Amino acid sequence: MDVTNDQARSTTLPKFKADPVKTVILASLMGTAIEFFDFYAYGTASAAYFPSIFFPQMTPLLATILSLLTFGVAFVARPVDSFLFGHFGDQLGRKRTLVVSLMVMGVATVAIGFIPSYNSIGVWGALLLCLCRFVQGIGLGGEWSGAVLVATENAPADKRALYGAFPEVGAPIGFFLCNGLFFVLENVLTPAQMTSFGWRIPFWASSVLVFIGLYVRRRLQETPLFKLAQEQDNTTKSPLKEVFKSNWREIAKGTFIMGATYALFFTLTTWSLSYATTSLGFSHSEFLLLLMGAIVEFAALIMLTSILADKIGRKKVLLTASVALVVYSLVFPYFLEGQHNMFGMLLFLGLGFLVMGSLYGPVGAVLPELFPTKVRYSGAGITYNLAAVVGAAVAPSITTWLIAEYGLHSAGYYMLALAVVSVVAWLLTKETKDVDYTK
């Protein structure tokens, strides 16, 4: 007969020494904050600077679309990375894989800061940009799933969503730090200096953050649940084969549950930064300040909805938020009408990040809960990163193209389609709050 999660922890896990709660939280939060700092540095630069630096020979519209497509290259890399890091994460453990993913991400990010412009080496600059972006995606693809597993596999049964929220909070922290640095630079340097060298500084600065993250993560121990799986010989030499054979339904459901969340986030950040500064009359620094204010709301909603998901269940929270996204997808273009419409922009960002925080917080527990311990790293990572391809890889570019072809009111069509699919996926998915996490 199966035992409950609390019983399992009390009878089998105490023999395995776990990291202190503060260490677990710090390692999972700091790592994702650093990883997302690196990732957002690219998102901001691709929207604001890369069109003129790497694609000056194109028309402004085409240059923007191509620049945003290079942003999507990383998302194409992430499923590949899920196979790689998921395999070793389920076979060798969570800690080692997390350290390697952070190093890969850091090296690629710093390298981007040294790529010559189109005026120096022509199209080779854009090709090198895509290469570094691909490697960047490989690093981030292995980061999220490892971080949430370190958090949730150390969590009490009734607080998995809360613990899983700390890696999620790393995303807004990384975003805030990155765009805060861009905001300071844009107010200290001239536009010409920003285009010449200022945009490179955040990429170089990430090297310091990577060293801090590596120091924290090397102090981690392996999670008690993975140690238990090793002792019971419940790991597998072929986690990828196993997860696609036994858990393909969970991969499909999780991908469609998460896809719309990705589309919303990069519509609120990367696309909106590009559109607001090229079509609505906002300056770069002005819009970054608005985004940073909204990101504080984002972080607060992640924590609040995760606590709520531990109390009433993940499905109620996330299904409600998914329905809200359907409505938001239809109405948000109306908030962006008119030049420099500050009230409309505040509605766009405020309501958008209200929905975004509600969707993103509890998912740190949901995706790992769909899979057993022996394939949890692979399953959660593949699901998360396939959702990135579906929801984020082309969302900024498609939104830009839709507006160019059909007008502003079509901006939410792609996100609307994904939101409807997400609602259907949740209706077909059982509540995961009380699953036995030791299995």
Side-chain angles (χ1 to χ4, degrees), residues 57-71:
Q57 77 280 24
M58 305 291 182
T59 64
L61 175 61
L62 186 57
T64 299
I65 291 175
L66 288 174
S67 179
L68 293 176
L69 281 175
T70 68
F71 177 79

Side-chain angles (χ1 to χ4, degrees), residues 4-14 153-157 225 438:
T4 66
N5 204 2
D6 287 319
Q7 289 171 328
R9 285 181 64 84
S10 65
T11 57
T12 59
L13 296 184
E153 288 188 349
N154 278 286
L225 282 179
T438 66

Side-chain angles (χ1 to χ4, degrees), residues 40-185:
Y40 296 146
Y42 193 99
T44 302
S46 68
Y49 299 104
F50 289 172
S52 62
I53 294 171
F54 293 104
F55 305 100
Q57 77 280 24
M58 305 291 182
T59 64
L61 175 61
L62 186 57
T64 299
I65 291 175
L66 288 174
S67 179
L68 293 176
L69 281 175
T70 68
F71 177 79
V73 167
F75 295 101
V76 178
R78 287 169 67 163
V80 177
D81 170 61
S82 300
F83 301 151
L84 177 66
F85 283 103
H87 173 82
F88 291 109
D90 283 325
Q91 191 177 70
L92 302 178
R94 294 24 174 155
K95 174 186 172 178
R96 297 179 188 176
T97 314
L98 271 177
V99 170
V100 174
S101 70
L102 185 61
M103 291 180 64
V104 170
M105 181 79 174
V107 170
T109 302
V110 173
I112 290 172
F114 290 98
I115 296 176
S117 68
Y118 177 89
N119 292 333
S120 298
I121 59 173
V123 297
W124 287 104
L127 293 175
L128 287 173
L129 194 66
C130 289
L131 176 62
C132 289
R133 181 63 174 164
F134 188 88
V135 176
Q136 212 185 23
I138 288 178
L140 184 59
E143 165 61 31
W144 182 88
S145 50
V148 295
L149 260 60
V150 164
T152 58
E153 288 188 349
N154 278 286
D158 60 347
K159 294 183 179 179
R160 279 201 303 265
L162 175 60
Y163 275 56
F166 287 106
E168 306 287 74
V169 169
I173 290 175
F175 187 98
F176 191 89
L177 292 175
C178 173
N179 285 289
L181 179 54
F182 268 106
F183 177 80
V184 171
L185 290 171

